[in-house]
């Protein structure tokens, strides 16, 4: 079916009698179109039957036929006109709505670009970390390989020397035994010859000299005792461990001045509500605020989080303010990872929101004093969480941590617990 051309004017689909869109259009013999009702009423009031447009007179009243093509086109035109009119009503509203969508899309594009940059920066930072780790690994593993090779050489040399000594001893004894065999064989040969002599005088004289056997060694107590190799490898490994420890001490430790022996720490804490265990390895929220004297050694570093609903941990400069509320940002001398029901963030201006890690059980904090780097790691998953770069360290750093409120989210009573670092990892 042909569709109405929306470029046509309204008069193309209007009756010249009622001036409205065609309603059941019919065609006169002269070729003009009118609404069937309109032309019927027009002729009912006239004496002659003529065309309202060209005034052509018909001798008899024409038998009018419906123009179905024009009827369809007129119907489509009416529909198009109605839709167009309803659109003169929604245009302004849709224009404003469309502008808002465009603005939101642009904002989303900028956010996505920012996320792409963040990901690229993370990848670049990870690449630098990986390159540095590879270089350090080559250095450490090369030294380790040399130590192992030397240990292996020493071990092999010791075993070979013991084996050589045993072989030499056995060969000496065998040579001595073979000599005695030779002496006994010679004596036996002489005695056999003597048995066949008919000279009795010679027999008796020779018998006296052959009767006494040649001097021999008491071999019943002589034996070859190979050295025991049991424990040789163990002693070599112990020596290797001692050598590796000496090599490890030669590696640069950096200048991170954190507490290593918690048993001797000051029992005071940085917040008057916190309670630390006697061994210095657990930290609770005591709910009750206590009055504590000023103490510059109140910061402790924890890594084991258990199933806590809220916590924070990181490192702090020695010079931070301890007498009033602390702004937990690098600008104020604190590098803090913070977690609660809203997610995981790094405290900065603005805060850095990180992917949520509900499975996070243990956090490792690594500080490269010279490089100005503070990195956080998911110890169990062996995944890098976040790194703060370009930090400026001029004074000692100390661990900073907070166990969160005791009743946060209904129950947050579990302590933060110090976990010994596994050197083999």
């Amino acid at each position: 079916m042909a569709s109405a051309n929306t470029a046509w004017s309204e008069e193309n689909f209007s009756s010249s009698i009622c001036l409205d869109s065609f309603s059941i259009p019919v065609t006169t013999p002269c070729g003009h179109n009118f609404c069937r009702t309109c032309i019927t009423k027009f002729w009912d009031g006239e004496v002659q039957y003529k065309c309202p447009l060209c005034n052509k007179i018909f001798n008899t009243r024409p038998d009018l036929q419906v123009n179905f093509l024009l009827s369809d086109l007129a119907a489509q035109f009416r529909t198009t006109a109605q839709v167009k009119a309803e659109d003169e009503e929604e245009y302004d509203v849709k224009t404003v709505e469309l502008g808002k969508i465009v603005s939101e899309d642009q904002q989303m594009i900028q956010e996505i670009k920012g996320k792409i940059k963040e990901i690229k920066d993370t990848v670049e930072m990870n690449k630098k970390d990986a390159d540095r780790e590879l270089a350090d690994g080559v250095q450490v593993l090369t030294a380790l390989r040399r130590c192992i090779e030397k240990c292996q050489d020493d071990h092999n040399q010791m075993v070979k020397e013991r084996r050589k000594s045993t072989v030499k001893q056995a060969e000496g004894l065998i040579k001595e035994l073979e000599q005695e065999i030779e002496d006994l064989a010679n004596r036996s040969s002489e005695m056999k010859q003597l048995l066949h002599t008919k000279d009795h005088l010679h027999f008796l004289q020779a018998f006296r000299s052959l009767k006494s056997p040649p001097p021999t060694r008491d071999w019943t107590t002589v034996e070859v005792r190979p050295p025991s190799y049991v424990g040789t490898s163990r002693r070599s490994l112990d020596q290797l461990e001692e050598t590796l420890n000496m090599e490890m001490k030669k590696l640069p430790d950096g200048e991170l001045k954190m507490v290593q022996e918690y048993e001797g720490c000051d029992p005071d804490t940085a917040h008057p509500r916190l309670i630390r265990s006697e061994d210095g390895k657990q930290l609770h929220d005591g709910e009750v605020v206590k009055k504590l004297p000023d103490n510059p050694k109140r910061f402790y570093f924890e890594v084991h989080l258990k199933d806590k609903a809220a916590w924070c941990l990181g490192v702090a400069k020695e010079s931070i303010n301890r007498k009033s509320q602390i702004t937990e940002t690098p600008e104020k001398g604190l590098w803090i990872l913070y977690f609660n029901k809203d997610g995981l963030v790094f405290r900065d201006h603005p805060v850095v929101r990180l992917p949520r890690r509900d499975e996070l059980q243990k956090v490792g904090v690594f500080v490269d004093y010279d490089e100005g780097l503070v990195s956080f790691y998911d110890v169990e998953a062996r995944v890098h969480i976040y790194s703060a770069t370009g930090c400026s360290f001029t004074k000692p750093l100390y661990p900073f941590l907070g166990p969160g409120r005791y009743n946060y989210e209904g129950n947050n009573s579990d302590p933060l617990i110090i976990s010994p670092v596994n050197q083999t990892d």
Side-chain angles (χ1 to χ4, degrees), residues 149-283:
E149 290 174 352
K150 185 178 183 304
C151 177
Q152 184 180 16
D153 292 341
D154 293 344
H155 175 267
N156 292 346
Q157 183 66 24
M158 179 175 61
V159 173
K160 289 178 180 179
E161 288 179 355
R162 290 186 179 182
R163 182 180 63 185
K164 183 178 179 180
S165 176
T166 302
V167 171
K168 185 177 180 180
Q169 179 190 12
E171 288 177 346
L173 292 175
I174 291 173
K175 186 175 181 180
E176 188 176 348
L177 286 169
E178 289 177 344
Q179 182 63 48
E180 289 196 4
I181 291 174
E182 183 179 355
D183 293 342
L184 289 172
N186 292 335
R187 179 171 177 268
S188 178
S189 177
E190 292 178 3
M191 293 181 73
K192 286 181 180 179
Q193 292 178 5
L194 186 60
L195 285 174
H196 298 288
T197 184
K198 301 301 182 179
D199 188 345
H200 294 178
L201 180 61
H202 173 70
F203 176 85
L204 293 174
Q205 290 176 345
F207 179 78
R208 294 189 185 97
S209 62
L210 293 177
K211 183 180 180 180
S212 299
T216 59
R217 187 174 179 180
D218 183 6
W219 294 102
T220 59
T221 59
V222 176
E223 61 180 343
V224 177
R225 294 185 178 181
S228 174
Y229 298 102
V230 177
T232 304
S233 298
R234 176 70 261 178
R235 288 190 292 273
S236 297
L237 289 176
D238 291 342
Q239 181 62 37
L240 174 61
E241 181 179 5
E242 181 179 351
T243 304
L244 290 178
N245 289 335
M246 294 176 62
E247 290 295 327
M248 292 296 292
K249 291 179 181 179
K250 297 178 183 179
L251 298 177
D253 294 330
E255 299 183 35
L256 177 62
K257 298 180 180 178
M258 290 186 171
V259 178
Q260 298 297 329
E261 297 297 330
Y262 291 95
E263 287 77 10
C265 292
D266 189 326
D268 294 338
T269 62
H271 195 281
R273 200 177 60 239
L274 300 181
I275 299 175
R276 203 204 72 167
S277 62
E278 292 183 0
D279 63 355
K281 295 185 178 181
Q282 297 188 18
L283 194 69

